[in-house]
Amino acid sequence: MSPPLVVVLNGPNLNLLGMREPEKYGNATLDDVEALCAEAAETLGLAIDFRQTNGEGELITWVQECRGRASGIIINPAGYTTTSIGLLDALLAVGLPVIEVHITNIHRREEFRHHSFVSKAATGVIAGLGVQGYALALEAMAGLIAPMDDPDDAA
Ligand code: CA2
């Protein structure tokens, strides 16, 4: 049997990780984050599909495409966290466990970053633990999707 697929989605400007504002977001590049996720997924027996886009519509389409294909979604919605009802609606409609990740602690930052529309669709939220938050989200996701693979639950 193939391992459960977790889709890891990254929103706008996260392609700049490690290249700008390292004092805020650290030195790891998005490629480093993908490698970190691949390593964690391998250990946890998960497959990942890791993506980044600057487009709101593309992000929404990717969420929709998870239906029937993925077992869970990990998402750092970046700038769309605080603006996108469309993204919220897609995450609510997809019917999968969702973990929202932020590299920084959005609650220690500017007031406008505090309210996340996406959190309304999230099973859990990880913020402020740097890029390690992605590995922690994968660990939590493995726990959330494991019961689906338990043959005892099939009865
Ligand atoms: O802390 C996070 O992960 C954020 O989602 C990052 C977003 C920000 O809008 C959220 O409030 C919190 C910004 C992503 C932009 O990433 C950059 C990375 C390096 C240099 C510049 C931007």
Side-chain angles (χ1 to χ4, degrees), residues 63 72-75 77 81 84-101 115-125 141 144:
V63 170
I73 299 174
I74 292 170
I75 184 164
T81 307
S84 183
I85 305 291
L87 180 59
L88 168 63
D89 288 341
L91 289 165
L92 288 172
V94 77
L96 292 171
V98 173
I99 301 180
E100 178 183 352
V101 172
H115 179 259
S116 164
F117 286 114
V118 167
S119 294
K120 185 86 185 144
T123 311
V125 182
M141 187 60 82
L144 289 173

Side-chain angles (χ1 to χ4, degrees), residues 20-57:
R20 308 262 202 289
E21 302 185 82
E23 67 292 347
K24 232 177 255 165
Y25 297 108
N27 292 307
T29 64
L30 197 63
D31 283 350
D32 294 334
V33 180
E34 180 168 7
L36 175 98
C37 287
E39 198 182 320
E42 165 100 56
T43 307
L44 293 161
L46 300 171
I48 59 161
D49 178 1
F50 188 97
R51 299 177 184 202
Q52 187 273 334
T53 179
N54 291 326
E56 183 177 6

Side-chain angles (χ1 to χ4, degrees), residues 12-14 16-17 20-21 25 76 78-79 102-104 106 113:
N13 298 305
L14 285 165
L16 299 176
L17 270 184
R20 308 262 202 289
E21 302 185 82
Y25 297 108
N76 183 345
H102 297 284
I103 295 164
T104 60
I106 52 175
R113 296 185 197 275

